[in-house]
Amino acid sequence: MKKIPFVTKEQIEKIAETYPTPFHIYDEKAIRENARKLKQAFSWNKGYKEYFAVKATPNPYILKILQEEGCGVDCSSATELMLSDACGFSGSDIMFSSNDTPEGEFRMANEMGAYINLDDITHIDCLRAETEIPETVCCRFNPGGVFQMGTEIMDNPGDAKYGMTKEQLIEAFNRLKELGVKRFGIHAFLASNTVTNEYYPTLAGILFALAVEVKEATGADIAFINLSGGVGVPYTPDREPNDIAVIGDGVRKQFEAVMVPAGLGDVSIFTELGRFMLAPYGGLVTKAIHEKHIHKEYIGVDACAVNLMRPAMYGAYHHITVLGKENEPCDHKYDVTGSLCENNDKFAVDRMLPQIEKGDYLFIHDTGAHGFAMGYNYNGRLKSAELLLKEDGSVQLIRRAETPKDYFATFDFSDILKDMKY
Ligand SMILES: *Cc1c(COP(=O)(O)O)cnc(C)c1O
């Protein structure tokens, strides 16, 4: 599918008068429409709720939009819990799906009334040691082996650090029951960024069968099945996006085939989507500031991997549109680079694009999730602003750009920098 930015060159020129590039910009209207489609797709399930994975886009303005659309939040750290608390999420609006959990975080989550999702059987004792055992507890499942759909290997749970084995999960349910837990959840995340309508229904089939087996083995009252994240987006233009209505219906079919006959027709379905909720509705806007002709052709831009790490970290493809040149032929081959002293700081390698001039604005697509959030500060580079394109077409600053002062803030205890003039 042809990728079209949700902003034009004219809009960006205007925005850049107030907010210099680089910046991430999010499309409020599209975020809301997509959240509504998701809700509709699972409306057959009475207790359905999406818990947005905060780590994907940890911005309070974004969380508020999703809250208005009926979403909760999925947190896995103390600061994500704090952010969610400040945004007004509480109790069953919060899923705490942590792993390798630092001491004190279960207590914090429990005091907020969040659902706690235990990554390991040994965490039962950690939970007990720091807080009262809640009435409802979720356990995370890892089936091991490879996760296959038909003949295609989707991912490798046997190699993943998350979750517990089936035997451990059954033992955990029995122990938790003895400790007074009344209701249970089951969670698994078996494949990331799946661009197929079959992932969730296949996962649901596995978890529903597990729920029936666990209920028979332990007598546990199953309250919810958490399908977690993993529904993806097409980063490349040659792929078709997932159809969430088809996905929801596929899960419904599994539910009716497996859960309803087992007397589990009241169980709620939860999701913890991050990428699907936000990725296509955010873009990184950056300006071409240099061109360089050596053994290859380079375009240097004012953003770098600090603003978007996925290409450097995973070799991930992000589509690029040169604003105002949407209809020009892609007859130039470029590496599009940032300024880090790291040769992997490239947003694109050997990418066919229209001829780029200094001053052109580039729109890097699909940065709305796991984009800004992964940023770091290598080479002393600062993180950018985040902007919201609102439904009425106006633009709101939803995070200011970092300043050198932010970068040096962790030395505020020290005398060496106290007379710094920046
Ligand atoms: C990262 C994560 C998610 C969201 O994953 P996406 O790929 O963004 O959908 C959901 N749940 C847990 C526990 C996660 O770690």
Side-chain angles (χ1 to χ4, degrees), residues 65 167 169 198 321 386 401:
I65 291 171
E167 293 69 30
L169 188 128
E198 297 307 312
T321 299
E386 293 179 289

Side-chain angles (χ1 to χ4, degrees), residues 342-359:
E342 269 268 21
N343 196 41
N344 68 0
D345 184 18
K346 294 178 179 176
F347 291 114
V349 174
D350 295 335
R351 184 77 56 90
M352 296 307 295
L353 290 164
Q355 180 160 20
I356 296 173
E357 262 108 3
K358 277 201 249 180

Side-chain angles (χ1 to χ4, degrees), residues 34-334:
N34 182 63
R36 285 173 200 169
K37 276 189 206 156
L38 171 71
K39 203 172 165 189
Q40 180 60 31
F42 284 91
S43 57
W44 54 266
N45 182 266
K46 202 157 53 53
Y48 173 72
K49 195 172 176 83
E50 152 70 3
Y51 292 85
F52 175 65
V54 171
K55 72 166 190 265
T57 322
N59 185 298
Y61 293 85
I62 300 292
L63 297 186
K64 279 288 192 189
I65 291 171
L66 293 171
Q67 186 178 48
E68 285 169 18
E69 297 302 333
C71 299
V73 280
D74 162 39
C75 301
S76 71
S77 67
T79 48
E80 289 180 355
L81 285 170
M82 291 171 199
L83 176 60
S84 301
D85 183 36
C87 290
F89 295 94
S90 66
S92 59
D93 301 335
I94 308 172
M95 184 70 57
F96 187 59
S97 286
S98 62
N99 71 93
D100 189 23
T101 312
E103 196 181 331
E105 296 194 356
F106 285 132
R107 175 161 39 82
M108 185 172 180
N110 203 23
E111 280 169 1
M112 290 169 67
Y115 286 126
I116 290 175
N117 182 18
L118 295 179
D119 182 64
D120 192 53
I121 188 165
T122 60
H123 292 187
I124 296 173
D125 287 329
C126 305
L127 180 64
R128 273 179 81 189
E130 56 187 69
T131 184
E132 269 178 54
I133 295 282
E135 277 213 346
T136 307
V137 173
C138 184
C139 289
R140 184 166 184 167
F141 172 54
N142 182 334
V146 292
F147 178 65
Q148 244 171 313
M149 284 178 18
T151 54
E152 198 186 345
I153 293 176
M154 302 294 293
D155 221 318
N156 193 354
D159 218 23
K161 66 173 177 169
Y162 308 107
M164 39 187 119
T165 67
K166 182 160 79 180
E167 293 69 30
Q168 289 173 332
L169 188 128
I170 289 173
E171 192 186 329
F173 273 40
N174 280 324
R175 278 208 62 209
L176 288 163
K177 266 186 86 178
E178 283 166 22
L179 293 169
V181 173
K182 302 241 167 5
R183 312 194 72 209
F184 291 85
I186 298 177
H187 170 284
F189 189 162
L190 301 188
S192 199
N193 192 34
T194 58
V195 191
T196 153
N197 294 330
E198 297 307 312
Y199 169 64
Y200 254 9
T202 306
L203 172 67
I206 293 169
L207 292 185
F208 294 165
L210 178 67
V212 173
E213 188 179 340
V214 168
K215 190 194 159 204
E216 276 167 15
T218 66
D221 180 3
I222 313 277
F224 62 83
I225 304 281
N226 185 344
L227 299 176
S228 186
V231 175
V233 301
Y235 286 97
T236 52
D238 60 326
R239 303 199 73 166
E240 286 299 310
N242 287 319
D243 184 335
I244 199 64
V246 173
I247 291 173
D249 203 53
V251 175
R252 180 186 60 78
K253 286 188 184 120
Q254 292 288 343
F255 193 84
E256 284 171 4
V258 182
M259 297 291 274
V260 174
L264 292 172
D266 285 342
V267 171
S268 300
I269 303 297
F270 293 167
T271 55
E272 286 175 347
L273 296 169
R275 197 184 312 273
F276 181 79
M277 302 305 287
L278 252 303
Y281 316 119
L284 173 59
V285 179
T286 181
K287 189 157 70 176
I289 56 172
H290 292 284
E291 54 183 294
K292 173 164 179 170
H293 316 278
I294 48 169
H295 311 290
K296 295 179 84 172
E297 297 294 296
Y298 293 94
I299 294 294
V301 296
D302 60 5
C304 63
V306 160
N307 310 110
L308 178 68
M309 197 183 193
R310 297 185 73 258
M313 189 165 173
Y314 312 115
Y317 180 97
H318 278 266
H319 198 65
I320 295 177
T321 299
V322 184
L323 293 175
K325 299 186 175 175
E326 285 82 351
N327 298 316
E328 289 186 19
C330 293
D331 53 3
H332 284 65
K333 191 193 271 188
Y334 293 116

